[in-house]
Amino acid sequence: MTTTIIFTIASLSLLGLVLALILYFTAQKFKVVEDPRIDDVETILPGANCGGCGFAGCRAFAEGCVKADSLDGLFCPVGGNDTMKKVAGYLGVTVADKAPQVAVVRCNGNCDSRPKSSNYDGYTSCAVMAGLYSGDTDCRYGCLGQGDCEISCDFDAIKMNPRTGLPEVDEEKCTACGACVKACPKFIIELRNKGPKGKRIFVSCINKDKGGVAKKACAVACIGCTKCQKVCAYDAITISSNLAYIDYNKCKLCRKCVVECPTNAIWEVNFPVRVPKRETADVEQQ
Amino acid sequence: MSKTFSIGGIHPKDNKISVKAAIENFPVMETAYISMSQHLGAPAEPVVAKGDKVKTGQLIAKANGFISANIHSSVSGTVSAIELMPDLAGNLVQHIVVKVEGDEWDEKIDRSPEIVREIKLSPSEIIAKIAECGIVGLGGAAFPTHIKLSPPPGKKAEFLVMNGAECEPYLTSDYRIMLENPEEILIGTRIMMTALGVKKAYIGIEDNKPKAIKVMKELCSKSYKNIKIVSLQKKYPQGGEKQLIDAILGRQVPSMGLPIDTGVVVQNVGTALAVYEAVQKNKPLFEGVVTVTGKCMTEQRNFRMRVGTTFESMLFAVGGFPKDAEKLVSGGPMMGKAVARIEAASVKSTSALLLLTEEETKRKPEGNCIRCAKCVDACPMGLEPFLLNRLSRAGRMEDLEANLVQDCIECGSCLYVCPANIPLLDTIRLSKASVLKIMRSRPKK
């Protein structure tokens, strides 16, 4: 009895020892030497694994940062400038500040301004709907309203508003990772500079049809009338194929174009409410 | 015993309520909107300008590229505009708008009713004639016929298989032409046999059309001995070319292959009639038979209609939009396309305008998959739709490719049988497009 037990213990221990040695030498032989800085950089990164940087995830981005000579062209949209500074500090390089960005929905044709011309009854997906036809309104460019952008967002930052049928971006939560930009089959969403104190002006329409056709399909469409271009003192507005586009790098936020737009297609965000014009003040004085 | 294809298939109620309606000529409209994209491939290039006078059957747009087809005016009058207009899905396509003045046909077209039986042209002349007359496949995909009739080098056609199955519910346009123009179809078949150099042709007709089978069989036994009429069981999608080859010849088309890989060319009976008219009567393809039907309509009609007639005017001709109609479909209920713009115009391959009631068309809420495998049983290509659906929703493109999503013929049988109303076809079609794109972007070996 006791001999059996001793024999068993001894044989198993020996077996264990032999296998342990094999494992040890194999591990030594096939050791992968990895830069320890990659682990450290990964801990600095937010760890959202959203892919907004263009890499497969945070670890891949960390690897990219460590291997690269300079951090130009590498940017973590979720962590922003703070994180990039920390990474740069750790790696002993410098990094230029990048203006923070935010996703902007360039369609404002809600249920009232853009009436439906057909009923879509299929699978709730913009991609499927866009594959079938041009959309349930007369506008071929506008939002399809099935919420692919909402599903794509890892940060809960873009939500469909059931009242307008359009997505709305929560500026606080949006990290400008660009997932919704890729998810939208109509290319409505754009990443734009957040602007000073979040103030920004943009054309909330991407309809490239001729003015008459666009206006017929949607009351708030850009009709390419060039009024905004004429009023802009900074050359920030370009018009190509019946559509105005505001260059956020040139725009000085003077808001003249917003007033000029006959269809209210140009939007201003985070500006104080407009003070009434002087005539009203005069009336009060009298 | 009637033949049928070996795997899958469904039996939707055939609803052929317009069988008795003889083909009548649709009145020529006031304005014709002729699309430049009536076929698979590159849009045709207009050769007329605004203000030009055109005659019925005159060439107005030339084929542009290898896979493309000529387009001829379907009416006579003045070209009033060449502009972008929405097609039935709302996408902008270049159209030639012709203001109709009278109905003066091109002098070259033989309008006499006599049947010309003798084939005078050589195979290459026949193919050139078909290309010149802009004939496209009228089975649905509108693939230019002259390309199908010239097999790629190294491949030889053995048989010609004609599709007279008309497996889609509601449609009766092919049935009516088989009843009214049987001999023309047989001559058209013979012309295509000459062009391909094949000795034997089969015409597959489903057995819910006994009259058509009888008429065609009688004619064949009399004077068209090398054409065989095959009676097929009623089963959808019998008219799919791969299914038809399986049903009639028992041959399997390989994955990602074409019928010509098994030595077969498949054509529709409607195409045969168009080929006959082009080669023997010099008449380009500018009109076709369109079934206007629906349970909500008081009368069912089969019209011989010019290309470029708007869906609006078709509705007008049958007494307006019925009250309980919910959805307009161009083509059959299984594979047809919903009409999103009624101001859009018909094209060469338009076979029907179908009006469906709410009860027939409304989708029920989606449930959970219960792994009943009905979709697997129904798939005529032997795929696993439930699996493709899951992979597609997860975006797993490599796995989708390994599970042969690219072989899906988009017949919709899986969606039809699913007890949980899962939109299988929608998700599969979406990923099929992406997978094909990935496969094409790979460097060729």
Side-chain angles (χ1 to χ4, degrees):
Chain A
M1 182 70 187
T2 34
T3 35
T4 321
I5 293 170
I6 291 167
F7 185 73
T8 319
I9 292 172
S11 62
L12 275 175
S13 310
L14 196 71
L15 188 68
L17 195 71
V18 170
L19 289 176
L21 282 172
I22 294 172
L23 277 177
Y24 174 74
F25 284 112
T26 323
Q28 287 298 314
K29 173 89 182 156
F30 297 105
K31 194 172 175 181
V32 178
V33 188
E34 205 176 37
D35 197 329
R37 291 180 300 170
I38 296 174
D39 283 330
D40 295 335
V41 173
E42 199 190 349
T43 41
I44 301 172
L45 295 174
N49 286 319
C50 63
C53 52
F55 287 84
C58 289
R59 185 159 184 96
F61 181 66
E63 219 177 310
C65 285
V66 170
K67 277 183 188 158
D69 297 328
S70 79
L71 292 181
D72 294 342
L74 294 168
F75 188 74
C76 170
V78 181
N81 287 323
D82 293 346
T83 303
M84 286 317 288
K85 265 186 200 138
K86 272 189 210 159
V87 172
Y90 176 81
L91 293 172
V93 288
T94 49
V95 66
D97 260 3
K98 200 177 170 192
Q101 289 194 316
V102 69
V104 161
V105 179
R106 290 182 297 166
C107 176
N108 76 60
N110 56 28
C111 309
D112 303 324
S113 51
R114 193 167 57 121
K116 284 208 154 68
S117 59
S118 60
N119 272 328
Y120 177 68
D121 185 33
Y123 177 44
T124 318
S125 153
C126 303
V128 168
M129 188 173 174
L132 288 172
Y133 76 131
S134 67
D136 54 359
T137 62
D138 279 342
C139 176
R140 295 183 296 129
Y141 299 91
C143 177
L144 298 170
Q146 305 294 323
D148 275 13
C149 47
E150 186 176 338
I151 296 165
S152 75
C153 187
D154 283 344
F155 304 96
D156 213 14
I158 190 160
K159 283 247 167 71
M160 293 304 295
N161 184 337
R163 201 173 48 78
T164 56
L166 294 170
E168 279 169 10
V169 180
D170 185 336
E171 272 175 57
E172 302 284 300
K173 289 180 182 166
C174 179
T175 60
C177 70
C180 51
V181 178
K182 284 179 204 138
C184 181
K186 294 278 186 186
F187 311 107
I188 287 165
I189 305 170
E190 187 199 5
L191 294 180
R192 288 178 75 93
N193 279 1
K194 230 171 185 170
K197 288 181 192 162
K199 287 179 189 167
R200 57 186 176 273
I201 293 171
F202 60 94
V203 181
S204 189
C205 181
I206 55 160
N207 193 320
K208 294 190 183 75
D209 280 337
K210 279 179 192 161
V213 182
K215 188 83 206 269
K216 212 173 161 191
C218 176
V220 290
C222 171
I223 52 173
C225 65
T226 71
K227 271 187 174 173
C228 50
Q229 193 181 25
K230 279 172 198 148
V231 83
C232 184
Y234 308 102
D235 250 2
I237 301 179
T238 45
I239 292 182
S240 64
S241 40
N242 307 310
L243 178 64
Y245 179 78
I246 302 178
D247 186 344
Y248 48 77
N249 290 319
K250 289 181 184 165
C251 178
K252 297 276 192 286
L253 305 173
C254 69
R255 296 204 274 170
K256 274 186 188 153
C257 52
V258 182
V259 192
E260 201 63 33
C261 183
T263 57
N264 297 326
I266 302 179
W267 275 30
E268 48 176 37
V269 182
N270 290 335
F271 281 92
V273 181
R274 272 171 200 279
V275 271
K277 290 258 169 72
R278 192 169 287 162
E279 294 112 66
T280 25
D282 289 346
V283 173
E284 272 171 19
Q285 273 177 5
Q286 282 167 6
Chain B
M1 183 63 200
S2 301
K3 290 183 175 182
T4 188
F5 54 97
S6 48
I7 42 173
I10 51 169
H11 301 92
K13 195 164 184 292
D14 67 356
N15 282 327
K16 307 250 184 203
I17 41 185
S18 52
V19 276
K20 293 220 173 77
I23 300 172
E24 48 194 314
N25 283 328
F26 192 82
V28 179
M29 53 285 184
E30 282 169 13
T31 319
Y33 303 91
I34 302 162
S35 165
M36 291 298 103
S37 191
Q38 307 201 19
H39 43 262
L40 213 70
E45 186 135 327
V47 292
V48 289
K50 193 181 161 183
D52 284 5
K53 292 260 184 229
V54 291
K55 282 179 190 165
T56 308
Q58 186 186 326
L59 182 76
I60 52 170
K62 260 206 153 83
N64 188 11
F66 177 62
I67 299 181
S68 189
N70 286 345
I71 290 168
H72 299 79
S73 178
S74 58
V75 291
S76 67
T78 319
V79 177
S80 64
I82 298 173
E83 58 182 5
L84 291 172
M85 285 175 58
D87 65 357
L88 61 93
N91 301 316
L92 291 194
V93 175
Q94 198 168 39
H95 281 70
I96 294 181
V97 185
V98 183
K99 192 101 187 53
V100 177
E101 291 146 10
D103 192 18
E104 190 190 341
W105 287 42
D106 203 288
E107 304 86 28
K108 281 182 275 174
I109 302 170
D110 175 9
R111 295 183 71 181
S112 61
E114 288 98 59
I115 295 174
V116 187
R117 292 186 179 82
E118 192 193 351
I119 303 164
K120 292 182 194 128
L121 302 179
S122 71
S124 57
E125 281 170 341
I126 291 172
I127 290 170
K129 188 90 212 167
I130 289 171
E132 188 199 315
C133 288
I135 311 291
V136 297
L138 299 177
F143 193 82
T145 304
H146 62 279
I147 301 171
K148 240 183 175 178
L149 290 182
S150 6
K155 283 175 186 161
K156 181 90 182 70
E158 255 180 90
F159 300 108
L160 176 66
V161 168
M162 301 298 297
N163 173 15
E166 203 163 52
C167 57
E168 278 262 10
Y170 284 105
L171 305 197
T172 53
S173 46
D174 285 354
Y175 172 69
R176 285 314 308 185
I177 60 167
M178 282 191 278
L179 274 192
E180 295 179 31
N181 310 85
E183 186 147 22
E184 285 93 325
I185 290 173
L186 292 173
I187 299 167
T189 308
R190 196 174 255 183
I191 294 168
M192 287 197 271
M193 286 164 72
T194 318
L196 283 167
V198 299
K199 299 272 176 309
K200 187 106 187 122
Y202 296 90
I203 302 184
I205 305 172
E206 282 194 350
D207 53 14
N208 60 348
K209 296 178 263 292
K211 266 193 201 164
I213 295 176
K214 201 175 144 225
V215 171
M216 300 286 269
K217 266 194 178 157
E218 269 169 20
L219 267 174
C220 279
S221 58
K222 252 188 250 158
S223 46
Y224 299 91
K225 292 265 160 58
N226 49 2
I227 301 174
K228 196 177 169 224
I229 307 295
V230 184
S231 156
L232 302 167
Q233 268 176 49
K234 180 184 141 324
K235 187 155 105 181
Y236 177 85
Q238 195 106 252
E241 50 182 17
K242 288 167 190 172
Q243 281 64 38
L244 202 64
I245 294 170
D246 184 11
I248 293 177
L249 298 166
R251 295 186 182 189
Q252 300 286 342
V253 179
S255 168
M256 289 295 279
L258 292 169
I260 192 72
D261 295 336
T262 53
V264 185
V265 171
V266 183
Q267 295 282 3
N268 191 271
V269 288
T271 319
L273 181 60
V275 165
Y276 162 80
E277 285 178 338
V279 176
Q280 308 292 64
K281 298 273 186 179
N282 227 338
K283 182 185 157 197
L285 181 56
F286 59 78
E287 62 181 6
V289 179
V290 176
T291 306
V292 182
T293 181
K295 275 183 187 164
C296 46
M297 284 163 60
T298 43
E299 46 182 334
Q300 320 292 331
R301 311 281 275 274
N302 288 302
F303 290 115
R304 178 164 280 117
M305 198 179 283
R306 305 282 173 93
V307 165
T309 311
T310 59
F311 292 108
E312 206 173 357
S313 57
M314 289 182 212
L315 281 177
F316 196 69
V318 293
F321 196 81
K323 251 187 200 156
D324 41 357
E326 177 76 9
K327 188 175 187 178
L328 294 178
V329 180
S330 165
M334 299 298 294
M335 285 191 78
K337 281 198 92 175
V339 179
R341 303 276 186 279
I342 64 165
E343 67 271 25
S346 70
V347 293
K348 287 173 188 173
S349 59
T350 304
S351 55
L353 174 65
L354 175 61
L355 289 91
L356 294 172
T357 59
E358 189 177 344
E359 189 199 345
E360 286 174 299
T361 177
K362 197 84 184 162
R363 285 213 191 183
K364 292 176 199 89
E366 185 187 344
N368 291 325
C369 176
I370 54 166
R371 310 295 197 281
C372 64
K374 275 191 178 173
C375 53
V376 181
D377 287 343
C379 182
M381 296 303 290
L383 306 174
E384 293 171 297
F386 79 96
L387 179 68
L388 297 176
N389 169 52
R390 285 176 68 85
L391 292 174
S392 167
R393 287 189 186 193
R396 285 163 60 177
M397 296 301 161
E398 288 90 355
D399 293 339
L400 281 161
E401 194 188 334
N403 282 291
L404 302 172
V405 70
Q406 64 276 13
D407 277 352
C408 171
I409 57 166
E410 304 181 18
C411 65
S413 298
C414 49
L415 186 60
Y416 181 84
V417 292
C418 183
N421 306 307
I422 297 170
L424 294 159
L425 178 60
D426 291 323
T427 54
I428 293 172
R429 187 155 42 195
L430 185 64
S431 56
K432 185 184 161 190
S434 319
V435 167
L436 282 176
K437 217 171 167 186
I438 293 169
M439 289 172 81
R440 284 196 190 120
S441 68
R442 278 190 203 132
K444 279 194 185 115
K445 276 173 204 162

